[in-house]
């Protein structure tokens, strides 16, 4: 935009005065001499008179400055709008980032540690059903348990007592799809069975596994399963102890080196994962301690360490 005109501070040259007339006879010699022209006065060393700005011009200066400021603001606004329309990213400051994080924390509560751990493994948890035929040849469900995908080609870990004696095994994946499965391996000493699903989803995920090394009593854990067929259900608790022993009423054998935990588990949780709060599987739930026939949870559950479970599946130990 053109800059507003300003008045020059230099004094304009005034026209030279007419040459003084010759002294007429009778004119007094003491008559004042005519003033010198401006240029002559300046040459003689006289100071120039200051420029005189008309009052009307002085009153227009603030208005012109305001107009110039408004024009600059409008130009900046148009430029910013053009950057936004062209997708030019805005340069964020640390203050902007801090404000955005604070706003999110105030308006969007974060999920709990247990919820995050469960979400990390849930896509790999399956429902396992064992079917048997009656004497009349009718197929009926004989047990429900839980399984864990450890290889994305459909290799599944579960408890042996969930599928023992079944004439047909069916698994239901996290996306709701179903498939028959075959028993491909077993480790009776740890009540473990390995299944191979006949059909698997395209996006099937294997669970993240972690060694039990470094676990301590008091560490938080999460269990996922189908207690009494309801699920998948999530419960949370802590590790109560390590290297526990338990006499399994299903397998009629003593089990050793078990993880004791207090996350709620009931019939149907068998074969499901025991997960750290980091979202990694450290054990396979195998039993609960209950001295009564009710078979309900009283606060003591046991899981086979994942190292044993991996060996049952033919995977190298950690």
């Amino acid at each position: 935009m053109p800059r507003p005109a300003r008045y020059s501070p230099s004094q304009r040259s005034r026209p030279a005065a007419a040459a003084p007339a010759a002294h007429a006879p009778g004119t007094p010699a003491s008559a004042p001499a005519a003033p010198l022209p401006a240029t002559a006065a300046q040459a003689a060393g006289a100071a120039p008179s200051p420029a005189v700005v008309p009052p009307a011009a002085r009153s227009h200066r603030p208005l012109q400055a305001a107009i110039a400021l408004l024009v600059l603001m409008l130009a900046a606004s148009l430029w910013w709008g053009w950057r936004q329309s062209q997708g030019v990213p805005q340069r964020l400051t640390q203050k902007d980032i801090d404000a955005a994080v604070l706003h999110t924390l105030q308006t969007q509560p974060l999920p709990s540690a247990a919820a995050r751990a469960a979400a990390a493994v849930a896509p790999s948890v399956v429902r396992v059903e064992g079917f048997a035929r009656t004497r009349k040849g009718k197929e009926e469900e004989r047990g429900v348990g839980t399984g864990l995908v450890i290889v994305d080609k459909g290799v599944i870990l579960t408890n042996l007592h969930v599928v023992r004696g079944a004439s047909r095994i069916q698994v239901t994946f996290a996306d709701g799809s179903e498939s028959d499965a075959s028993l491909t391996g077993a480790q009776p000493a740890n009540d473990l069975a390995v299944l191979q699903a006949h059909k698997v989803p395209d996006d099937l995920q294997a669970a993240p596994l972690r060694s039990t090394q470094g676990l301590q009593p008091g560490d938080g854990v999460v269990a996922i399963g189908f207690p009494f067929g309801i699920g998948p259900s999530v419960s949370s608790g802590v590790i109560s102890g390590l290297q526990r022993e338990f006499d399994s009423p299903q397998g009629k054998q003593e089990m050793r080196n078990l993880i004791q935990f207090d996350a709620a588990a009931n019939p149907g949780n068998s074969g499901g994962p025991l997960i750290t709060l980091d979202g990694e599987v450290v054990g396979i739930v195998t039993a609960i301690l209950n001295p009564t026939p009710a078979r309900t949870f009283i606060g003591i559950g046991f899981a086979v360490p994942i190292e044993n479970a991996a060996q049952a599946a033919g995977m190298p130990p950690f």
Side-chain angles (χ1 to χ4, degrees):
M1 166 180 180
R3 299 177 61 184
R6 297 180 181 273
Y7 291 96
S8 171
S10 64
Q11 182 181 16
R12 293 184 181 180
S13 299
R14 289 177 289 186
H23 289 284
T27 303
S30 60
L36 293 173
T39 54
Q42 291 171 359
S49 300
V52 178
V53 180
R58 288 197 300 268
S59 64
H60 289 169
R61 284 184 178 177
L63 177 60
Q64 291 170 345
I67 292 174
L69 179 61
L70 290 175
V71 170
L72 288 174
M73 293 174 63
L74 177 61
S77 177
L78 292 175
W79 175 79
W80 179 255
W82 174 83
R83 282 174 58 90
Q84 296 297 99
S85 66
Q86 297 298 315
V88 179
Q90 179 183 1
R91 179 174 295 178
L92 295 177
T93 65
Q94 186 61 46
K95 183 178 180 180
D96 296 331
I97 297 173
D98 293 343
V101 171
L102 180 61
H103 176 74
T104 301
L105 292 175
Q106 291 174 342
T107 58
Q108 302 291 332
L110 296 177
S112 67
R116 294 194 301 271
V121 179
S124 306
V125 177
V126 301
R127 177 187 175 108
V128 180
E129 296 173 89
F131 295 89
R133 293 196 175 275
T134 65
R135 293 181 179 179
K136 296 182 179 181
K138 182 180 178 181
E139 186 178 72
E140 64 179 10
E141 181 185 285
R142 63 173 301 277
V144 177
T146 307
L148 180 71
V149 178
I150 59 171
V151 179
D152 58 9
K153 293 181 180 180
V155 179
I156 299 168
L157 276 175
T158 188
N159 280 157
L160 183 58
H161 73 261
V162 173
V163 296
R164 181 184 283 116
S167 59
R168 185 173 72 90
I169 302 171
Q170 179 177 285
V171 296
T172 304
F173 295 99
D175 65 355
S177 61
E178 298 177 347
S179 173
D180 285 347
S182 300
L183 179 64
T184 59
Q187 192 181 76
N190 288 304
D191 191 23
L192 292 171
V194 183
L195 309 178
Q196 174 63 61
H198 298 171
K199 296 184 300 182
V200 299
D202 293 336
D203 57 349
L204 183 62
Q205 299 180 30
L209 310 180
R210 194 203 106 173
S211 168
T212 57
Q213 184 176 0
L215 289 183
Q216 296 181 358
D219 287 347
V221 288
V222 172
I224 305 179
F226 294 84
F228 299 105
I230 303 171
S233 300
V234 177
S235 60
S236 64
V238 299
I239 292 176
S240 304
L242 301 169
Q243 298 182 344
R244 298 296 198 231
E245 298 180 357
F246 175 68
D247 291 328
S248 171
Q250 287 90 359
K252 307 297 183 182
Q253 87 270 13
E254 183 182 35
M255 303 178 66
R256 298 181 179 182
N257 192 34
L258 299 176
I259 303 170
Q260 180 187 337
F261 62 91
D262 69 353
N266 286 285
N269 277 101
S270 296
L274 186 68
I275 311 162
T276 67
L277 296 184
D278 294 329
E280 297 172 316
V281 178
V282 290
I284 299 296
V285 176
T286 190
I288 58 175
L289 178 63
N290 193 330
T292 72
R295 299 181 64 209
T296 54
F297 185 66
I298 61 172
I300 299 177
F302 298 103
V304 178
I306 198 63
E307 290 91 340
N308 300 43
Q311 289 176 355
M315 298 174 62
F318 293 90

